[in-house]
């Protein structure tokens, strides 16, 4: 086979493989758009059941380990506060997806210096004491954090990222094998994927979670503008100086600007909830 013909043939195989991989993905609409208008369709290769099983296993192991270390729900007042805020937020999740009302929500406070919080698929929430203590968060600011994390679960961002990585990994491996680029070439393709697709998609997930989070907070009667003051505080304690284009999160200034716009958009919901 002539070199040109061989290259054309292999390129066609790569393209055919890509089409097969993409056709294996399901296009879904995980949430309603809400007042903030998050209505991007998502492509999933991994089923919700598959991810939920993995998440439940990880969650059970993590909570058991934290309990063993004596880090689970040590401060009763903090636990009561975090759970009260979370309950008001989860009561509003039906605006974005009705099935979330039936999730088995759980809320825990973990004693750690880390400034962090998360919500696993299916509604398993954890807030770290480092976030509460180091930032001296108000209830409105804490609602912004928890609302943001709940939004990730509602939008199934973890499932979307896992699906994206599975497709990309398969495509890169197939392409590298067919084109004979070797390990170095495959590594270059992986770096290109992260720079052009992977990281920007992560930033889009963060933006979606910010916007949904402020709406959840507003509907629950928490001032959505607290998301802005929260990230101003985050900026003061963060030691991460990674440029935005290499980070999975938007830059602090870009995030604050977007949150300012969307918190104002949902102010009528907050004002209505406060009546």
């Amino acid at each position: 086979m002539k070199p040109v013909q061989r290259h054309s043939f292999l390129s066609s195989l790569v393209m055919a493989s890509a089409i097969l991989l993409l056709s294996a993905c399901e296009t879904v609409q995980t949430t309603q758009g809400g007042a903030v208008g998050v209505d991007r369709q998502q492509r999933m290769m991994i089923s919700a059941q598959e991810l939920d099983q993995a998440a439940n296993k990880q969650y059970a192991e993590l909570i058991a380990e934290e309990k063993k270390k004596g880090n689970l729900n040590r401060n009763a007042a903090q636990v009561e506060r975090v759970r009260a805020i979370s309950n008001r937020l989860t009561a509003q999740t039906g605006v974005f997806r009705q099935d979330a009302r039936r999730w088995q929500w759980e809320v825990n406070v973990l004693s750690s210096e880390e400034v962090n919080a998360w919500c696993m698929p299916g509604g398993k929430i954890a807030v770290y004491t480092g976030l509460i203590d180091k930032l001296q968060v108000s209830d409105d600011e804490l609602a912004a954090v928890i609302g943001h994390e709940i939004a990730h679960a509602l939008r199934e961002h973890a499932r979307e990222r896992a699906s994206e990585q599975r497709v990309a990994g398969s495509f890169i491996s197939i392409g590298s094998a067919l084109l004979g680029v070797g390990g170095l070439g495959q590594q270059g393709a992986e770096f290109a994927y992260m720079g052009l697709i992977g990281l920007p998609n992560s930033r889009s997930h963060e933006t979606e979670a910010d916007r949904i989070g402020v709406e959840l907070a507003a509907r629950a009667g928490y001032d959505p503008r607290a998301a802005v003051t929260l990230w101003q505080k985050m900026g003061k304690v963060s030691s991460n100086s990674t440029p935005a284009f290499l980070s999975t999160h938007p830059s602090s200034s870009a995030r604050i600007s977007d949150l300012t716009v969307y918190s104002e958009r949902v102010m009528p919901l907050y004002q209505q909830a406060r009546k």
Side-chain angles (χ1 to χ4, degrees), residues 54-241:
N56 288 339
K57 182 176 184 294
Q58 183 181 14
Y59 174 75
E61 292 173 351
L62 186 152
I63 292 299
E65 182 65 21
E66 292 300 317
K67 185 176 182 180
K68 182 179 179 181
K69 293 178 180 179
N71 293 334
L72 182 66
N73 299 326
R74 287 169 54 179
N75 185 314
Q78 281 187 336
V79 173
E80 182 179 3
R81 180 190 180 200
V82 170
R83 286 180 175 170
I85 293 170
S86 298
N87 289 341
R88 285 171 58 177
L89 291 167
T90 57
Q92 304 301 321
T93 56
V95 171
F96 291 98
R97 53 186 298 170
Q98 286 293 323
D99 67 314
R101 296 180 183 275
R102 301 188 296 274
W103 287 3
Q104 299 299 308
W105 294 94
E106 293 182 23
V107 183
N108 293 291
V109 176
L110 304 181
S111 295
S112 169
E113 291 295 309
E114 190 175 349
V115 178
N116 197 16
W118 44 259
C119 180
M120 282 193 180
K124 304 300 188 285
I125 299 169
V127 176
Y128 290 55
T129 55
L131 185 147
I132 298 171
D133 298 334
K134 290 183 179 180
L135 298 186
Q136 292 294 296
V137 287
S138 65
D139 284 0
D140 293 319
E141 290 168 339
L142 193 50
V145 174
I146 299 172
H148 172 93
E149 298 304 326
I150 289 173
H152 278 307
L154 295 176
R155 285 291 285 167
E156 298 186 46
H157 284 150
R159 180 183 167 204
E160 186 177 10
R161 287 286 288 158
S163 297
E164 175 191 293
Q165 289 167 359
R166 180 174 290 183
V167 170
S170 299
F171 178 59
I172 290 170
S173 295
I174 291 170
S176 298
L178 290 174
L179 297 176
V181 298
L184 186 61
Q186 181 171 341
Q187 186 180 58
E190 289 169 352
F191 287 152
Y193 161 74
M194 287 303 294
L196 297 174
I197 300 174
L199 295 184
N201 280 356
S202 291
R203 290 196 291 271
S204 72
H205 291 176
E206 290 300 313
T207 299
E208 287 181 348
D210 279 346
R211 293 175 183 179
I212 291 175
V214 295
E215 181 167 344
L216 288 174
R219 289 182 180 276
Y222 294 103
D223 191 337
R225 295 169 296 188
V228 175
T229 60
L230 169 74
W231 280 100
Q232 289 170 338
K233 288 182 178 181
M234 283 282 197
K236 293 178 181 178
V237 301
S238 176
S239 60
N240 182 8
S241 59

